[in-house]
Amino acid sequence: MDVIWKNVGSLDNIPRCGARRLCFGHNGRPIAVFRTGDDAVHAVVDQCPHRAGPLSEGIVSGHLVTCPLHNWVIDLSSGDAVAPDEGHVETLPVRIENREIHVGIPRRPTSEEAA
Amino acid sequence: MPKNMLSDPREHLVVIGNGMAGMRTVEELLKHEAGRRYRITVFGAEPHVNYNRILLSSVLAGDKDLDDIVINPRSWYGDNGIRLVTGDPVTAIDRDAKLVTAASGLSVHYDRILIATGSRPLAPPIPGLALPGVCAFRDIADVEKMLEAARTQKRAVVIGGGLLGLEAAWGLKQRGMSVALVHLMPTLMERQLDAAAGQLLQRDLDRRGIAFFTNGQTEQIVGKERVEGVQLADGRFIPADLVVLAIGIRPNIDLAKAAGLEVNRGVVVFDDMRTSDTSIFAVGECVEHRGQVFGLVAPIWDQAKVCAAQLAGDATAIYAARALSTRLKITGVDVFSAGALMAADEADDEITLRDESRGLYKKIVLRDGKLVGAVLYGDVADGAWYLQLMQDKADVSALRERLVFGRAIAEMDGAKAPGPDLAAMPDDTQICGCNGVSKGTIVAAIRDKNLTSLTEVRAHTKASASCGQCTGQVESLLAFAAGVDAKAVKKTLCECTEAGHDEIRAAIPAQNLKTMAAVRAAFGWKKPEGCHKCRPALNFYLLCAWPDEYADDARSRFVNERVHANIQKDGTYSVVPRMWGGITTPAELHAIASVAEKYAIPTVKVTGGQRIDLLGVKKADLPAVWGDLNNAGLISGHAYGKALRTVKTCVGSEWCRFGTQDSTGLGVKLEKMCWGSWTPHKVKLAVSGCPRNCAEATIKDLGVVCVKAGYDIMVGGNGGVDVRVTDKLVRVRSEDEVLEHTGAFLQLYREEAHYLERTAPWVARVGIAYVKRRVVDDAEGRRALHGRFIHAQSFVQRDPWAERVHGAEAHEFSELSAMVEA
Ligand code: SRM
Ligand SMILES: Cc1cc2nc3c(=O)[nH]c(=O)nc-3n(C[C@H](O)[C@H](O)[C@H](O)COP(=O)(O)OP(=O)(O)OC[C@H]3O[C@@H](n4cnc5c(N)ncnc54)[C@H](O)[C@@H]3O)c2cc1C
Ligand code: SF4
Ligand code: FES
């Protein structure tokens, strides 16, 4: 995928089993960056597929986050809701270099490309 | 028409009507191997995909969103190769040319047709029906009209006191309109309920604020530009901004009639669901089968199954009607009815049971030793059992004396009622009428997915998730298929463990478990980090057991408790400072006012808990808002926590001419003692100065009602969906005793209740006698409990807001920014 990589700072800025939002978004949507208990990092659009709840505020267990609004559980690796709920949230690629987190923001298609 | 369609060798099935019956039949058809031999086109008059019409009532009442009631999304049609044409009603069937034509002019050739056009609301023959502001209650468009009216207008009149009319009235009431209901007959739902039950229903709904005009014949709907009111024949006039007609339905047969098919009240179908033209089938509310027409989904699911089997080539599939039941979908109003409402003649037996004070009514009708009818009001738990007895035509003569008391009593002393034999029950027996879920589906889900609770079965199969009528049967299936007794099932803490709350709570001190990891290891947790259910529970249990040692885990707290404010639906937060006993000062009010102005906080509201809520605060502003409030001496009100919330008080003896004690002062003392404490669920206290009880102390977790001789301490109440009035714990003489009993009661609750169990269900579970034994009778035990409470309090009475103003958890309140672009 054609992405623009952004360095969003050190892994240590996010608590284990926690998340933070990015101050910029992606196509007008906020992005959440998660750090799991085993120090893996996932970035997803911070809108629950159910009713756009802020996933970054959810409880993180393993690689799952539970949406704070109505308890849907989202698998952060795939972006898919865990059954019985059905839905998907867009995930963004992440790279870690020297403990710094880089998030790949898909490049917006130019109007020519979109056409 | 695209070429590839012409060359498609499969037979073309055209479905007219994209509703519950039609799509159910298609779903059933797709389950058959032979069903794949059709190319399917579906025409729907409505612009929507197919949805659960039954739940329109829930949408209206605000319990569900339109999104929640979609049965098959557009992708389902695509995935199954079905061509869906929405918003385009079929206008003609040409049987000679084998063509179906729609309003848009689109015309397709068919090999088979399935007519599933449902029914139309009946319109009474009165003037004024065409006025804006008049609508029916049948489809999404109607509900949208009603919701619009509820937003902009005040008064609604519903015409018709049957199931639909009552659900419409209740929904509109829930939406804030003032609602009147006009019914032609003397009692409500007279086709499903006998007069006694109908009257109880009317009484209960009357108490909930719906005004009834029974024996009311509508003469005219009055209005010039739009509706203004309803004129009754007896001279009464009811003003209205919205009039909803719900007087009945009529099968939608116009199309079939024009095509020359045999019709009567409905499109006539035979046992194989074929119409008088063997290549045309019909199902649902548009049909008439052996003289019977339909208005509920349960028989329609049976029809769909038979029709699909026939379409798939199984000529033996036959539809036979069976006993049906009705249930009203109004939260808190339990009505059940099936079969005969009363004895038809002297040979029939009618047995009734009436308990006025509890609002219970039961009637059963027996004929030739068999149950032929049941009407239940107030407690409908046995409805499904009665229905099964009726459908099985079971001989119940041996149980005659006990039958009316319900299954538990009927089956006492080993007298086994001829209840459903679950093992022998065929897999395709329908259990959930609303969602059309069969025994086989439920059992398979329970076994394949290892389901152990009703909630799980609901989530996976939708069985009993709509009207709830079949809950009892689903529980029995759970017992049957998983060997778990759903009622006595061991409630495990969550799916991560086999252990229950009590076991875990007991092991924490006994085995000296001091961290979540230690607990999870001791009990062999399935997931190393637990889940969103067990983590907050364990965090609380550990905090309660080791108040001086355990370090609270912010990551195991629900967002509200983690950030010390309540998340709102738009992602902003609300801030509620503590107001001790509901007392405030001009200085505090100034501080609140200036904070609201300074941070442009959109809403300032007085809460139901006697304090002020600042709503719509941006997360990033929280620390600054708290800092300003702290400067005026205001601290967190814990409105977000499983914690002590408020202590409501009335003015009491200081001002009130009836006050017997200083209820306000005592409330403040209680709040000062209890604030900051974490509890299994939220805890609310109140103190009223006399038995007039203006502080509503008798529906609080702990309420004090002051009397001349002292203080009555009441416990285990709450408001909410299931209101529970407190039980009396004890009367004491002094404020100090109130404080000691309160501390002891709260500590017992903290130490023994399950996480997320409020005091009301906890007291109901352990019994008030047990609580009295521990808190009242055992003075030493009480002092010890109180002592442990005060000890625990010494670690938590620190304002969490102040801590955050001074930098704690700073990462919570700011976003990450991009440093370098690479
Ligand atoms: C703000 C307030 C409404 C208001 O504007 O008045 C309110 C707001 C909420 N209540 Fe309440 N309740 C408020 C007073 C009440 C009262 C009245 C009272 O305390 O005397 C009751 C009935 C008494 C009781 O609790 O028994 C009440 C019974 C509930 C219930 C039902 C509780 C139950 O055990 O069944 C819930 C649902 C729950 O907790 O699961 C609830 C839940 C909620 C939630 C937390 C819903 C949610 O999950 O988001 C609301 C949070 C709004 C927010 O973000 O601030 N609220 N709620 C009141 C805050 C009082 C305060 O100062 O802290
Ligand atoms: C508010 C409400 C609450 C209810 N509650 C319950 C309940 O609690 N329990 C229960 O068992 N039942 C309940 N019902 C009844 C239940 O919804 C119906 O029995 C069921 O929907 C009937 O299914 P059907 O497919 O025959 O008709 P519908 O679901 O009405 O489907 C027929 C569809 O055909 C379309 N159509 C009509 N003519 C044409 C045409 N010429 N061309 C193309 N399309 C056409 C219609 O627009 C409609 O979408 C309730 C109904 C309502 C309205
Ligand atoms: S404040 Fe309470 S009553 Fe009001 S909507 Fe929220 S939960 Fe319901
Ligand atoms: S918005 Fe996430 S569960 Fe509802």
Side-chain angles (χ1 to χ4, degrees), chain B residues 166-460:
Chain B
L166 291 169
E167 291 185 356
W170 176 242
L172 292 167
K173 181 82 204 157
Q174 291 289 85
R175 293 286 181 171
M177 296 191 86
S178 74
V179 181
L181 187 139
V182 179
H183 189 48
L184 188 59
M185 307 303 283
T187 61
L188 301 177
M189 286 180 72
E190 74 286 348
R191 289 220 306 248
Q192 292 90 13
L193 298 182
D194 61 356
Q199 276 154 10
L200 283 172
L201 176 61
Q202 181 170 345
R203 185 195 69 184
D204 280 357
L205 291 175
D206 185 80
R207 284 185 189 159
R208 291 170 173 228
I210 295 174
F212 286 97
F213 294 77
T214 44
N215 295 310
Q217 168 145 30
T218 309
E219 192 172 67
Q220 188 184 352
I221 296 174
V222 186
K224 289 204 186 73
E225 306 280 289
R226 52 172 292 121
V227 57
E228 288 162 22
V230 171
Q231 179 65 55
L232 302 188
D234 59 13
R236 290 180 287 179
F237 178 79
I238 319 166
D241 309 309
L242 169 74
V243 173
V244 180
L245 292 170
I247 59 169
I249 53 174
R250 196 183 47 203
N252 206 346
I253 59 170
D254 300 353
L255 194 61
K257 195 172 174 183
L261 298 175
E262 186 182 338
V263 297
N264 191 18
R265 273 197 296 162
V267 182
V268 173
V269 292
F270 300 90
D271 291 352
D272 56 5
M273 301 315 294
R274 285 176 211 253
T275 65
S276 53
D277 176 336
T278 51
S279 57
I280 303 185
F281 293 72
V283 285
E285 283 187 349
C286 61
V287 309
E288 176 175 329
H289 173 260
R290 296 184 181 235
Q292 192 187 356
V293 292
F294 304 87
L296 293 171
V297 293
I300 294 178
W301 298 150
D302 291 344
Q303 294 174 359
K305 189 163 267 171
V306 171
C307 184
Q310 286 282 353
L311 278 165
D314 174 2
T316 62
I318 290 297
Y319 171 71
R322 29 176 196 162
L324 293 178
S325 64
T326 317
R327 183 155 170 185
L328 193 63
K329 302 188 294 297
I330 297 186
T331 322
V333 176
D334 288 322
V335 190
F336 172 93
S337 138
L341 302 185
M342 57 192 78
D345 55 41
E346 277 163 19
D348 286 1
D349 252 347
E350 223 179 77
I351 305 174
T352 55
L353 175 78
R354 211 181 168 120
D355 182 342
E356 271 305 326
S357 62
R358 287 173 61 207
L360 288 188
Y361 174 79
K362 283 182 157 193
K363 179 202 263 182
I364 54 174
V365 186
L366 301 166
R367 183 175 302 154
D368 302 331
K370 302 200 174 95
L371 186 68
V372 294
V375 177
L376 309 180
Y377 192 87
D379 176 3
V380 297
D382 285 311
W385 181 61
Y386 288 132
L387 180 65
Q388 189 76 44
L389 292 178
M390 291 167 64
Q391 289 181 340
D392 294 351
K393 302 195 169 63
D395 183 352
V396 294
S397 21
L399 299 170
R400 188 185 177 283
E401 275 72 49
R402 296 195 244 171
L403 200 56
V404 73
F405 296 107
R407 182 172 198 174
I409 304 245
E411 290 184 348
M412 241 164 45
D413 329 321
K416 191 82 189 103
D421 177 352
L422 294 173
M425 182 188 276
D427 272 352
D428 63 355
T429 304
Q430 186 136 318
I431 302 292
C432 171
C434 296
N435 296 300
V437 191
S438 65
K439 173 205 160 189
T441 310
I442 298 174
V443 169
I446 294 173
R447 294 204 168 127
D448 299 349
K449 306 204 169 94
N450 291 321
L451 309 183
T452 52
S453 71
L454 182 63
T455 329
E456 287 174 331
V457 178
R458 281 190 180 151
H460 284 275

